[in-house]
Amino acid sequence: MKALGIAAVALALCVVATGARAQGGPPAGGPMGQAGTMPMHQGAGTMPMRHGGMMPMGGGTRMHAAAGCMGMSGGMSGGMRMAMSRGYGRQAVRMPTAPGQAAFGAAQEIVRMLLADPMTNWSKVNIDALRQHLIDMNEVVMRAGVRKQPLADGLLIDVTGSGRTLDAIRRMVPAHAQDINGLFGWTVTAQEIADGEALRVTSANPADVQKIRGLGFLGILTLGTHQLHHLEMAKGEMMHMH
């Protein structure tokens, strides 16, 4: 920071001196704005600053335009380049943290947990099974059709699709219904229909009915212990959400 500050002052002096020469202004040692005079001769010990006070220049320092603005006449001085590169280097060593893709980030989190756990049984670990499940999640969340029908005590949701999406619906929705059934005292069931699954969520508590409707399919899908299933699946301790 000190080197960068000195270099910045030197650049300012270069601009002032060069401008004065270009306009036929006073030679080095003449007035500098309203700050008073700026000694520019051999052996000057101080330089008046704009807001008062003196900046030591060191014994024998030569500060005049004929010196080429401290070596900057042909471009930025070596000292300034070094100061700026050092400042940039300190920021350049920061590591990025964004995974770039949600499924990649979820898998990365699980892998780090497995590596940190000395009890991990690597003969059972199956990250590819987790990958297939993450593909299913993408199909269900992003591609499935959702038809909602309000019930007196909750909500009926038809989750539909075809091809790969239909397969994912039939793997995920029944398993999720089983996982969250009884949560908050709610009754959650899934029944197969021609093009998907009918997810039914009801509550005996009238105060919860609006909450169920407000959550809708995606909100209900976020409930439960889904992330724990990711870890269990990667460890080979459960089948692929079916």
Side-chain angles (χ1 to χ4, degrees):
M1 292 298 292
K2 182 177 179 181
L4 184 59
I6 294 172
V9 170
L11 180 59
L13 293 173
C14 175
V15 172
V16 171
T18 303
R21 283 185 300 164
Q23 298 176 14
M32 180 180 179
Q34 298 178 355
T37 60
M38 178 174 64
M40 303 292 284
H41 54 78
Q42 173 92 23
T46 58
M47 180 179 74
M49 304 302 289
R50 179 171 293 276
H51 298 293
M54 308 293 287
M55 186 180 86
M57 300 302 294
T61 300
R62 231 177 245 281
M63 292 291 291
H64 56 81
C69 294
M70 298 183 69
M72 289 184 287
S73 58
M76 190 181 295
S77 71
M80 182 174 287
R81 283 195 297 269
M82 181 178 296
M84 293 184 69
S85 64
R86 284 176 179 171
Y88 179 77
R90 282 194 293 272
Q91 287 197 341
V93 299
R94 293 180 60 188
M95 295 296 291
T97 58
Q101 203 265 356
F104 180 91
Q108 184 180 56
E109 179 184 33
I110 296 297
V111 167
R112 286 175 175 171
M113 293 176 69
L114 295 176
L115 290 170
D117 184 359
M119 301 302 293
T120 296
N121 183 349
W122 289 99
S123 67
K124 296 173 63 178
V125 168
N126 190 348
I127 302 300
D128 287 336
L130 174 60
R131 176 178 178 269
Q132 291 303 314
H133 173 64
L134 294 173
I135 293 172
D136 277 358
M137 287 186 64
N138 188 70
E139 292 291 329
V140 171
V141 171
M142 303 302 294
R143 300 180 184 276
V146 176
R147 297 190 300 264
K148 298 187 293 182
Q149 179 183 340
L151 304 173
D153 54 354
L155 188 64
L156 178 64
I157 308 167
D158 287 347
V159 188
T160 61
S162 60
R164 181 69 176 81
T165 303
L166 177 57
D167 293 340
I169 291 168
R170 288 188 169 154
R171 277 191 287 267
M172 277 193 61
V173 174
H176 188 67
Q178 183 178 359
D179 179 49
I180 67 172
N181 184 38
L183 185 68
F184 309 127
W186 299 352
T187 301
V188 184
T189 61
Q191 181 178 356
E192 186 174 317
I193 56 178
D195 54 352
E197 294 283 336
L199 181 65
R200 186 185 185 99
V201 185
T202 59
S203 174
N205 182 359
D208 281 348
V209 173
Q210 193 57 53
K211 184 184 297 184
I212 292 170
R213 294 175 182 173
L215 286 170
F217 175 60
L218 183 58
I220 291 168
L221 203 62
T222 66
L223 302 176
T225 57
H226 196 93
Q227 287 87 340
L228 178 59
H229 295 329
H230 289 179
L231 182 59
E232 292 172 342
M233 193 179 304
K235 285 183 172 183
E237 296 177 354
M238 66 173 290
M239 295 302 289
H240 175 55
M241 289 292 288
H242 184 72

